[in-house]
Amino acid sequence: MASKHQLQRLTEDAICPICMDFFTNPVILECGHNFCRCCITQSWDKEGRHCCPMCREEFAYRTLKVNRALASLTETARALSLNTEGKESKLHCENHQEELKLFCDTDKQLACVICVTAREHREHRFIQIKEAVESYKEQIKNSLETLTKTKSAMEEMEQQQKQTISGVREQSQNQLTYITSVFAELRQILNEKERLFQKELREEEESVLNPMENNLRAMQEELNSIQMKLVKLQERMNQTDILKCLKEETRQKRRISDDDGQSLPVAEGALDVGKFDHLFLLNTVLREKIDSVKRVSVTLDVETAPPRLEVSGDRKSVRRTGTRRRIPDTGRRFTGWQCVLGSEGFTSGRHYSEVEAAGSRGWGLGVAAESVERKRWVTLTPETGVWSIGRWDDGFDALTSPPSPLPARPIPGRVGVYLSYESGTVTFYDADTKSHLHTFTRNKFTEKLYPFFWPCDENQWLRICSGSASGV
């Protein structure tokens, strides 16, 4: 039997150096090198001259002699190669040259029938390769299922992480927009106040300087009069005609005395710069800014309350009950949601109110547009005309689509709601700690907005505070 090395050498001799495959119709050149007939003719046609691709020897004529011996050798090599490939497709034991038909489950390796009797495999467990393959395929299948589930869970967590990151970025962008709008409003107020203070300063300057300038003009007139008298006296002193001098002096009705030309008193005055002091100006602006926020005293509109909501007699509290009242359905009454609106609506300005919700574990608070859907179920979001935040047990969200979880903190027991109509913002505060909770920004309000209340925890009151926290 030919060795593997001999078979490889035979195969190399049967390979065309141009196409690197077994010879097809091999021909021999005058130099002794062999090529496929089609390969050498294509090479000569391409180069336009007759030369050997191996040794580069040129020939005067296109002389191609069929190499029958090489053709026969090529067929033999081709057959041996195919036969070897068929044999090599089956695995053989390196030690015994037998086909590997068994699997040693103890050593986890393939084995032939002779390996079974070998000392190193004594008392080992052997199974058919097909059975081993099926067993391992089952293990692979289980691993695939487990890994697929892990991948699915990881993809879900990845999506949640992306949503959380997106939520924080959106929250940050909204807050940046809100801060920009607040300071734009402050700059507008400061610019207006600057103009007013400048005008006030100029008016005060004028009121202080007027009497002083009048006194200065009187002093200048008196100085002119004194100067004229000095000139006349000097002229008389210089008079050389004694008789004429005496006559003029005798005609003087009065003499200049020490009382003539007494100095006028200096008019005193100073600006009241205290009211233009830095802290005074700042406190004035901030106080007026705070005072410009209308602290509204909200009452509930019972005509908007659905049958399962109970409104207190003073219309300052509302709760959800287990009983359904018999009341007429009006166009303003909610029937799709257990919500109620405030009596007073707003079309301009800045308004602030507070609600006590400490006893309830389910509520929603904010403002709603007059056109909000009241008869059928819709998602309560800014897109449907409601700007609110809410609590559900331990959940605390801004009611967007989908809901936006608010940063982890103790859920407030008293909530402040601030509406700036022209700025298009609705802001929520923890009224006890004066900390910011959430702001809806980039809104363009075009209709009347009402305070919005949504009690979800049965028999737990939401109470409108009688006053607002100072300093908000």
Side-chain angles (χ1 to χ4, degrees):
M1 179 182 291
S3 66
K4 188 174 181 181
H5 176 73
Q6 291 172 329
L7 180 59
Q8 183 178 357
R9 181 64 181 274
L10 178 62
T11 302
E12 291 176 355
D13 291 339
I15 296 297
C16 172
I18 294 179
C19 66
M20 302 305 294
D21 200 354
F22 287 111
F23 283 111
T24 303
N25 296 327
V27 294
I28 186 171
L29 304 184
E30 295 178 11
C31 63
H33 291 118
N34 297 282
F35 303 94
C36 298
R37 179 181 290 274
C38 62
C39 291
I40 191 61
T41 55
Q42 288 177 2
S43 175
W44 284 353
D45 290 342
K46 183 177 180 181
E47 290 193 12
R49 59 195 182 101
H50 307 148
C51 69
C52 175
M54 297 292 290
C55 64
R56 310 309 296 175
E57 180 180 348
E58 293 196 28
F59 314 107
Y61 304 99
R62 180 179 290 195
T63 303
L64 298 174
K65 294 181 180 181
V66 177
N67 191 336
R68 291 184 174 85
L70 183 57
S72 177
L73 177 64
T74 300
E75 290 302 320
T76 302
R78 191 192 305 272
L80 288 174
S81 177
L82 292 174
N83 185 44
T84 302
E85 289 178 1
K87 288 183 178 179
E88 289 181 351
S89 63
K90 296 181 179 180
L91 298 175
H92 290 74
C93 178
E94 293 182 357
N95 296 327
H96 308 112
Q97 304 303 319
E98 292 290 332
E99 185 179 350
L100 297 170
K101 296 181 179 181
L102 301 173
F103 181 75
C104 179
D105 195 41
T106 306
D107 288 341
K108 308 298 182 186
Q109 65 181 24
L110 296 172
C112 69
V113 291
I114 299 177
C115 292
V116 175
T117 61
R119 179 179 301 173
E120 61 269 21
H121 290 290
R122 190 172 298 169
E123 298 182 359
H124 285 188
R125 179 176 178 267
F126 288 89
I127 58 176
Q128 293 292 328
I129 287 180
K130 185 177 180 181
E131 182 182 349
V133 169
E134 292 299 324
S135 175
Y136 274 95
K137 281 187 176 180
E138 186 65 28
Q139 294 179 27
I140 293 172
K141 180 181 177 182
N142 293 336
S143 297
L144 280 172
E145 291 177 354
T146 302
L147 197 57
T148 300
K149 291 179 181 178
T150 303
K151 179 186 176 185
S152 178
M154 186 60 69
E155 287 176 343
E156 184 176 349
M157 288 190 293
E158 178 192 28
Q159 190 62 31
Q160 291 176 356
Q161 187 65 74
K162 287 181 178 179
Q163 290 177 354
T164 303
I165 292 172
S166 177
V168 171
R169 285 176 175 165
E170 182 179 0
Q171 183 185 23
S172 175
Q173 185 59 47
N174 290 341
Q175 196 61 25
L176 283 173
T177 303
Y178 169 68
I179 291 172
T180 301
S181 66
V182 168
F183 277 88
E185 186 178 359
L186 285 174
R187 278 190 287 271
Q188 182 180 358
I189 295 173
L190 288 172
N191 289 336
E192 180 62 27
K193 279 297 174 185
E194 181 184 8
R195 288 191 290 271
L196 290 175
F197 279 122
Q198 289 175 345
K199 180 181 177 183
E200 184 179 348
L201 178 60
R202 286 192 294 268
E203 290 175 350
E204 181 163 349
E205 177 190 22
E206 186 176 350
S207 66
V208 172
L209 289 179
N210 274 343
M212 299 173 70
E213 290 175 344
N214 290 336
N215 194 55
L216 177 62
R217 283 192 291 272
M219 288 179 175
Q220 290 172 342
E221 290 175 0
E222 183 64 24
L223 280 172
N224 289 335
S225 174
I226 292 173
Q227 182 63 32
M228 291 176 63
K229 292 177 180 178
L230 286 172
V231 170
K232 290 180 180 181
L233 288 174
Q234 189 64 44
E235 288 177 351
R236 290 202 296 270
M237 283 290 294
N238 296 333
Q239 181 63 258
T240 57
D241 189 340
I242 298 175
L243 293 177
K244 185 178 179 180
C245 179
L246 288 172
K247 289 180 179 180
E248 289 179 357
E249 285 299 315
T250 55
R251 287 200 298 269
Q252 291 292 326
K253 295 181 178 181
R254 62 181 295 274
R255 294 288 177 184
I256 296 176
S257 64
D258 292 338
D259 294 332
D260 291 335
Q262 284 290 329
S263 298
L264 292 172
V266 176
E268 299 293 338
L271 295 175
D272 182 9
V273 295
K275 63 181 179 180
F276 300 108
D277 178 73
H278 169 73
L279 290 179
F280 178 85
L281 294 177
L282 185 61
N283 289 334
T284 300
V285 172
L286 291 179
R287 185 171 61 252
E288 293 186 9
K289 168 64 177 173
I290 293 170
D291 292 341
S292 69
V293 178
K294 184 179 180 181
R295 292 171 175 81
V296 293
S297 179
V298 178
T299 56
L300 298 171
D301 184 355
V302 295
E303 295 297 323
T304 65
R308 292 189 182 278
L309 289 191
E310 178 185 354
V311 178
S312 63
D314 61 358
R315 297 191 299 162
K316 289 286 187 178
S317 302
V318 61
R319 68 175 177 175
R320 185 171 182 168
T321 66
T323 59
R324 183 181 178 89
R325 296 175 298 145
R326 291 186 177 182
I327 52 177
D329 186 8
T330 65
R332 293 161 48 209
R333 194 179 306 281
F334 282 92
T335 56
W337 286 97
Q338 300 300 309
C339 307
V340 62
L341 301 181
S343 299
E344 182 183 1
F346 314 109
T347 56
S348 63
R350 295 182 289 273
H351 311 274
Y352 180 79
S353 61
E354 292 178 1
V355 179
E356 179 70 42
S360 175
R361 293 181 62 82
W363 49 262
L365 297 170
V367 297
E370 188 172 30
S371 63
V372 65
E373 177 60 50
R374 309 185 189 202
K375 302 303 179 184
R376 61 186 179 88
W377 188 93
V378 294
T379 305
L380 300 179
T381 64
E383 289 74 22
T384 58
V386 178
W387 295 262
S388 63
I389 63 173
R391 173 184 183 175
W392 287 266
D393 293 327
D394 294 328
F396 189 39
D397 305 302
L399 300 188
T400 56
S401 183
S404 302
L406 297 179
R409 58 160 61 90
I411 298 177
R414 190 159 55 107
V415 179
V417 183
Y418 170 61
L419 165 66
S420 179
Y421 194 97
E422 285 76 10
S423 298
T425 59
V426 181
T427 303
F428 299 87
Y429 298 93
D430 184 330
D432 294 319
T433 63
K434 305 298 187 296
S435 58
H436 174 262
L437 298 175
H438 182 73
T439 298
F440 291 96
T441 60
R442 298 182 180 179
N443 302 291
K444 188 174 183 180
F445 300 131
T446 57
E447 58 179 299
K448 186 174 288 188
L449 302 179
Y450 291 86
F452 170 82
F453 307 86
W454 180 16
C456 304
D457 196 357
E458 195 167 291
N459 294 322
Q460 294 296 328
W461 291 97
L462 295 181
R463 295 180 176 85
I464 301 170
C465 300
S466 57
S468 299
S470 61
V472 176

